[in-house]
Amino acid sequence: MRTLATKQPHLASRPMHHTSARAAITSLLAGKGFGERGLALVMSAACGDANQQASALRKAALERADALPSNATVSYAGELLIAPIPTGESALCRQLCPVIIEQAKDVGLQLSCLASLVTLWPHVSTAERGVMRQRFLDGVINDSFPAEAQLSSAQLSAWQRELPTVISEPNASVSSLKCLLSETTAQGAYRVMADHLGMSANLPTLSWVLGALTVQVRQRFHDPKRYLLHVLLGTVACERLAAHAQPEHLATLLSQLGHQLWWCSYRADLVPVRTCIDPVTQDFAEAVASGNLTAAQRAARAVAKNPAAFWEQTWKMVEERIAANDPQWYAALELVLVVSWRTDTHVVSPDDAAAVGTVLADLSYREKNTPHLAMN
């Protein structure tokens, strides 16, 4: 199992398959904005890079992603339109991380979009880069997100001034960061994050730990609007961006992600998952199809003891959603892909496996119990 002390480089850091990257770029240039559609395009293009079992899904997923509608109706008109075009990934992050921080709209989603753009950047021609940056900026300003879920840079600065002097900071772990979820105020939750963001903070490790905590929360709640999924996507994006983004930017974005996770737990009115008391462990696919989230979690944990079987069954279920007329297919793809990045093809943690079971079963649950919601 990959431990915090011996983490291996992410498979996501490998170069993207060029032909697939170009297909995603062409579709983005022809459309509007970035957002969910752009993320689905890049995730689809990355299928085979993350796991060879997923390479067979790439073409069909790209076609489905290309057909997704764009929600961009307003064009970005700020000063970055005339700023120099970044030639490298680090310069791109220096330009765009502050935009995400200032807008503070669904930071998890926007971080994942930025990580996707960074992955595409080496495949984007010099003549195309200005338009690709515009697509990302349009996606940021068109994003809609509840105001109370946003933590502005001004509020962060005000809270920062009130922080007491800290002599030592805890090593990042799920147990130490879990205190965030016991806080009853947003400022209290911020202080927990701030305690972990001192000068000696290992930001990639902290990102991974925040992701592990998000995985645990996801198992407790239904997530129809993908709020928790976006937090998890953001934590993985922070790990991937650590090689390019400035540490002070990444620290601020992690604070905003921590707030987003706290808000999901306390203010988003997410429906708790009802516990299944039946001790029988079903077949993984059958448990997912039943829509019983706790049964799917139990089955996923069981099959994860055989990683090869787990990934084979998981990618098969994702493939079925891509092939079917399922409007939520990309939620399944995104979750499974980021879990494969968080873990490894040869091992998967029980909690991450359970999160996969949760999301796949949650989609089945919504289809069975509230069919009209499956279209939202």
Side-chain angles (χ1 to χ4, degrees), residues 34-206:
F34 205 101
E36 293 272 19
R37 179 178 181 272
L39 185 58
L41 280 164
V42 182
M43 290 284 196
S44 299
C47 276
D49 303 318
N51 188 309
Q52 285 302 308
Q53 286 180 285
S55 59
L57 313 185
R58 193 155 45 192
K59 183 175 183 295
L62 278 167
E63 291 174 354
R64 289 293 309 272
D66 182 60
L68 288 173
S70 170
N71 63 353
T73 57
V74 179
S75 295
Y76 174 85
E79 59 184 14
L80 279 183
L81 286 182
I82 58 173
I85 304 296
T87 56
E89 293 94 320
S90 295
L92 185 67
C93 287
R94 282 196 299 272
Q95 272 195 358
L96 299 182
C97 280
V99 177
I100 300 175
I101 291 169
E102 290 305 314
Q103 291 290 326
K105 294 180 178 179
D106 200 348
V107 169
L109 174 63
Q110 300 309 331
L111 271 168
S112 198
C113 289
L114 177 57
S116 296
L117 182 60
V118 167
T119 304
L120 286 181
W121 206 244
H123 305 274
V124 182
S125 72
T126 301
E128 295 169 332
R129 286 183 169 180
V131 180
M132 284 295 290
R133 183 178 63 180
Q134 171 91 49
R135 293 289 180 268
F136 174 82
L137 293 168
D138 289 350
V140 173
I141 65 169
N142 276 276
D143 191 23
S144 59
F145 205 60
E148 65 271 18
Q150 302 173 31
L151 184 55
S152 69
S153 58
Q155 184 65 79
L156 277 171
S157 297
W159 286 347
Q160 177 71 34
R161 290 192 293 269
E162 297 178 19
L163 288 176
T165 301
V166 177
I167 298 175
S168 63
E169 60 185 278
N171 292 322
S173 68
V174 175
S175 59
S176 68
L177 201 59
K178 205 167 190 175
C179 297
L180 179 150
L181 298 179
S182 64
E183 294 291 336
T184 57
T185 66
Q187 186 173 5
Y190 164 72
R191 285 177 175 168
V192 174
M193 286 297 301
D195 286 345
H196 290 77
L197 286 167
M199 294 295 293
S200 61
N202 183 318
L203 297 180
T205 295
L206 181 58

Side-chain angles (χ1 to χ4, degrees), residues 10 38 73 82 84 96 100 192 209 212 240 263 272 279 302 306 320 331 353 364:
H10 277 301
T73 57
I82 58 173
L96 299 182
I100 300 175
V192 174
V209 170
R240 298 169 64 197
W263 175 82
N306 181 347
E320 289 170 353
S364 297

Side-chain angles (χ1 to χ4, degrees), residues 325-328 363 366-368 370-376:
N325 186 26
D326 176 6
Q328 296 293 329
L363 295 176
R366 296 180 71 208
E367 291 164 354
K368 288 176 176 292
T370 49
H372 66 286
L373 291 179
M375 299 303 293
N376 293 339

